[in-house]
Amino acid sequence: MTVPVTVRPAAEADLAAVQGISVATGQSGPASGADLRYLAHVLANGRMRVAIGTDGDLAGWGAVVATPAGELLSDLFVHPDRHGAGVGGAVLRVLWPDPDAGGRFTFSSRHENAVPLYARAGVLPSWPLLYLTGPRARVAATDLHVQPVDAAAATAAETALTGADRTAEYDFWATIGTPVVVERNGQPVGAGVLGPDEVVHLATDDEQACEAALAALRSEAVSLCLPGPHPALARLLRAGFRITDYDLTMVAPDVRLATTWAYSPGLA
């Protein structure tokens, strides 16, 4: 049964309730709605909307952020007590009112309601985004060098590679990990950020850069999110990596996402 909600721009005072919904829906980690730093970044740099029920409680929330490939629906979550009541659709219709608009994408969960909701909004299924975990020691060696840098240097390297300025994202990512530049023969071929045990984000056209980034991590068990068509996928699976989960990439017809990157599901 659909229930009425009011969808409005989020404010800083909403973030604790937004965090509560995110945790209740299973979000965790520093690059998700479970982290107030992430929520503050999205509020300041994207468009965040909240749905308020007739009881005055926050029923759901969503946000979009700009990326080099297009506008990403970074988050859309509804409190478990309000599932099936049309809250997610109400938020999405405010964030993406025109289903014929281009330049948009999202990483959808496999919930039975998610893919139809996004398809009606004008983004269609593409490849899976695979959550991979495995042994760092068995990652294949490369001739690439992973250099820790500051946020400004990583930003400059990614801008040179993609043409997009991601200063705000790197300023946030630097609070949860280490910005890096990946080099081959002294020339940058990738830029991203590494957490203690995961590749948080890596923009690159080099087929081996994600493996080099994994090898540079400090933990024995390491993880990243790779596109299903990524050239390193088979090598990593042969090395003992496991697919622990996956999202379905949903794209507008004009969007082309790189299949050599490691993606942050929230900030791409």
Side-chain angles (χ1 to χ4, degrees), residues 152-172:
T155 299
E158 181 160 338
T159 300
L161 291 167
T162 69
D165 182 354
R166 309 207 69 189
T167 298
E169 286 80 8
Y170 275 100
D171 285 346
F172 164 71

Side-chain angles (χ1 to χ4, degrees), residues 80-231:
D81 293 343
R82 308 294 185 101
H83 282 179
V87 175
V91 175
L92 188 59
R93 284 191 295 273
V94 171
L95 289 169
W96 281 350
D98 180 3
D100 295 322
R104 305 180 304 184
F105 70 104
T106 193
F107 299 114
S108 171
S109 73
R110 288 172 287 124
H111 189 279
E112 61 184 6
N113 295 331
V115 171
L117 176 67
Y118 297 138
R120 288 193 295 269
V123 292
L124 300 177
S126 183
W127 39 257
L129 181 68
L130 305 173
Y131 292 65
L132 290 163
T133 297
R136 177 177 56 82
R138 294 184 59 184
V139 175
T142 73
D143 62 349
L144 298 172
H145 175 66
V146 179
Q147 177 66 41
V149 295
D150 61 19
T155 299
E158 181 160 338
T159 300
L161 291 167
T162 69
D165 182 354
R166 309 207 69 189
T167 298
E169 286 80 8
Y170 275 100
D171 285 346
F172 164 71
W173 281 326
T175 69
I176 64 171
T178 302
V180 297
V181 172
V182 182
E183 299 176 342
R184 170 174 273 117
N185 299 323
Q187 297 300 312
V189 297
V193 62
L194 307 183
D197 61 356
E198 67 175 327
V199 180
V200 177
H201 162 81
L202 185 64
T204 181
D205 288 332
D206 194 290
E207 295 185 359
Q208 295 180 308
C210 287
E211 290 160 290
L214 285 169
L217 294 171
R218 298 191 295 271
S219 298
E220 291 306 311
V222 294
S223 61
L224 80 173
C225 293
L226 284 189
H230 196 288

Side-chain angles (χ1 to χ4, degrees), residues 27-39:
Q27 296 300 293
S28 62
S32 77
D35 186 341
L36 286 173
R37 295 171 299 180
Y38 171 82
L39 294 176

